[in-house]
Amino acid sequence: MPAKKYLFTPGPTPVPPEVLAAAAAPVIHHRGPDFKELLTRVLGRLKAVCRTEHDVLLFTASGTGAFESALVNLLSPGEHLLAVTAGEFGERWAALATAYGCEVDTLAYAWGETPSAADLERRLSDAPAQTVLLVHSETSTGVVADVESLARVARDAGALVVVDAVSSLGAVPLESDAWGIDVVVAGTQKALMAPPGLALATVSPAAWERCERASLPRFYFDWRRYRRALENLSTPFTPAVSTVAALDVALGLLLDEGLEAAFARHAALGRACREGAKAMGLELFSPDEERSAVVTAILTPEEADARELTLALRQRFGITVAGGHGDLASRLFRIGHIGWYDVFDITTALAAVELVLSDLGAPIERGVAVTRALEAYAEHVTS
C-alpha cells in the first residue's frame, strides 16, 4: 500500500477535499460574467475574514509578493521606516525595504522573543518613522505578537501600520479596522486552507493617500491598476482562476465554522501540541501561551539532531514537519496546526516524534505525549 502523507508545516497546509475539487473544476474565463461573480464573492468573504470595510486587493503571488506590493505602493527612495524584527520574516521585510533604497531602522529582538509595545513607543519617540512594519505571526519561531498594542503605538506616533498576517489570518484574532491597521498582507496557503498561489492586501484610506504620492517603481503590483480594474469587477492581469475558485470554497468553510470558533479551535490545538511536547520532556522554543496557536516550535534534546528527526519523520512515516532556520537548524523543529487540522492530527505528529526521538537515543517515554495532548485539548474545549 502506498504510504499516506501527512503535512504539518505552517504553510502550505492541508487542503480540504471540496476545496481541491473546486480547483479541479473546468477553468472559466477571467473576463467573463462567471468570474466577475466569483471575484465579487471572494473579495466580500476576504473582507469578512480580515474584519475590514476597506479595499481588499488580490494578487497572483506569494505572501512575499503582497508584502512587496505594500512597500512599492507606500514608500519612496530614502524614506525612513521602522521594521520590528524577531525572526526570519521580520528580517526579510527589512531586507526588502533596503533593496528598494529606503532608510530602514530595525527594532530587533532575538529569535523567539516577543516584541513589546513599550519598546516600540520608546524607539519611535527617539527616531520617528513614517511607516512601521510588523509581523503578527513570526512563523520561523512560533511567536504571535500583540499586534493590537503595537499598532496602537505606531498609529499614535503618526506612522502607517503594515502587518504581515500571512500565517495568522484566519487562525488568531485580527481586527484590521478596529486596531487601526493600514495594510494587512496574507496568503492563501496557510490558515485559509487553499492552495498556494494567491496573496492579498487590505488598503486603508490613509494607505491610498500615501500610494498616490509614493515614488518607488511599480508595475505588476501597482495598487492603482487593481483599483481601476475592480471598478469593472476585474483584475489588471490574468489571475490564477482555479485558485480563486478554490479560495472561494475555503473561505466559505471558514466563515461557516465562524471566526470565533476557528480561533478557539486553533488555540486548543496549540495547547494540545505544547502540552504533548512538554510531556515528552522537550523544551518549547515558542512561548507557552494561548496566542501561540499557529505553529509550535520545539527544541530537540541533546541526543537528537533536528535535521535527522525531520528526515526520519518524512521517510518512515510520511510526516512532514518544518525545520528551523539559520543557526537553529540543528536544534529546532516546528509542528504547524493552522487550517484544516483536528486534535487527532496533532496526536499523530506527536506519536511519530516520540518514536523517532526514542530511536535517536533520547530518553522518551512512549505514549505520554498523546495522552497529555488529548487531555489538554479536552480541558481547553470544555473550559
Side-chain angles (χ1 to χ4, degrees):
M1 174 179 287
K4 187 173 182 179
K5 303 295 184 183
Y6 302 86
L7 185 61
F8 289 101
T9 60
T13 64
V15 177
E18 52 267 60
V19 178
L20 292 173
V27 176
I28 61 176
H29 188 240
H30 66 290
R31 301 299 183 212
D34 291 344
F35 185 77
K36 291 179 185 291
E37 179 181 345
L38 172 64
L39 182 63
T40 300
R41 187 168 57 248
V42 166
L43 293 177
R45 287 174 166 174
L46 286 173
K47 284 187 176 184
V49 172
C50 294
R51 299 275 176 87
T52 185
E53 296 298 322
H54 301 151
D55 291 322
V56 177
L57 307 180
L58 193 62
F59 310 98
T60 298
S62 67
T64 301
F67 213 103
E68 180 160 339
S69 86
L71 297 187
V72 298
N73 283 279
L74 296 175
L75 305 175
S76 299
E79 188 167 323
H80 181 67
L81 72 147
L82 175 64
V84 180
T85 69
E88 170 74 18
F89 292 95
E91 293 178 5
R92 178 181 296 184
W93 309 142
L96 182 53
T98 300
Y100 276 104
C102 299
E103 296 294 329
V104 181
D105 186 17
T106 59
L107 176 56
Y109 292 85
W111 286 31
E113 291 186 350
T114 302
S116 157
D119 291 343
L120 179 59
E121 185 174 24
R122 285 190 291 270
R123 176 59 63 86
L124 288 172
S125 177
D126 294 339
Q130 295 167 291
T131 306
V132 172
L133 309 182
L134 302 173
V135 177
H136 193 191
S137 168
E138 180 50 77
T139 322
S140 65
T141 66
V143 172
V144 176
D146 181 3
V147 159
E148 180 180 8
S149 62
L150 293 167
R152 183 187 308 116
V153 166
R155 188 177 65 251
D156 290 347
L160 279 184
V161 182
V162 180
V163 172
D164 166 3
V166 173
S167 64
S168 62
L169 183 65
V172 293
L174 176 65
E175 300 284 346
S176 300
D177 291 357
W179 295 354
I181 300 171
D182 292 291
V183 177
V184 168
V185 299
T188 55
Q189 76 278 16
K190 295 181 183 277
L192 298 187
M193 303 182 295
L198 292 173
L200 66 101
T202 69
V203 186
S204 73
W208 278 120
E209 290 181 13
R210 179 77 71 81
C211 174
E212 292 299 335
R213 63 177 188 269
S215 60
L216 283 175
R218 44 191 153 154
F219 187 86
Y220 182 78
F221 288 124
D222 190 336
W223 285 353
R224 297 166 298 184
R225 294 176 182 271
Y226 287 83
R227 182 166 58 176
R228 288 194 298 267
L230 283 178
E231 294 174 358
N232 296 313
L233 299 177
S234 187
T235 57
F237 312 104
T238 304
V241 174
S242 296
T243 310
V244 176
L247 176 61
D248 179 43
V249 175
L251 291 171
L253 293 174
L254 179 58
L255 293 171
D256 285 346
E257 179 183 8
L259 288 178
E260 297 303 326
F263 299 153
R265 173 171 57 84
H266 284 97
L269 294 175
R271 176 185 287 187
C273 194
R274 294 192 304 276
E275 289 297 315
K278 290 190 295 182
M280 277 187 269
L282 301 182
E283 180 183 353
L284 297 176
F285 186 79
S286 51
D288 191 3
E289 59 187 21
E290 292 303 288
R291 276 206 313 264
S292 297
V294 173
V295 56
T296 299
I298 306 167
L299 294 171
T300 56
E302 293 181 1
E303 296 85 354
D305 188 304
R307 293 165 294 193
E308 294 182 24
L309 170 67
T310 57
L311 180 61
L313 287 171
R314 187 169 62 252
Q315 290 182 336
R316 291 175 57 185
F317 303 113
I319 290 175
T320 300
V321 299
H325 291 270
D327 295 339
L328 295 170
S330 65
R331 287 294 317 280
L332 185 74
F333 69 101
R334 296 172 292 145
I335 299 175
H337 32 73
I338 49 171
W340 193 48
Y341 289 103
D342 63 22
V343 69
F344 297 108
D345 294 314
I346 302 305
T347 56
T348 295
L350 291 171
V353 169
E354 282 185 337
L355 291 171
V356 173
L357 285 179
S358 179
D359 290 346
L360 290 174
I364 301 294
E365 180 183 351
R366 296 184 181 181
V368 294
V370 170
T371 299
R372 180 59 194 132
L374 290 172
E375 291 173 349
Y377 184 83
E379 292 164 3
H380 191 287
V381 297
T382 57
S383 62

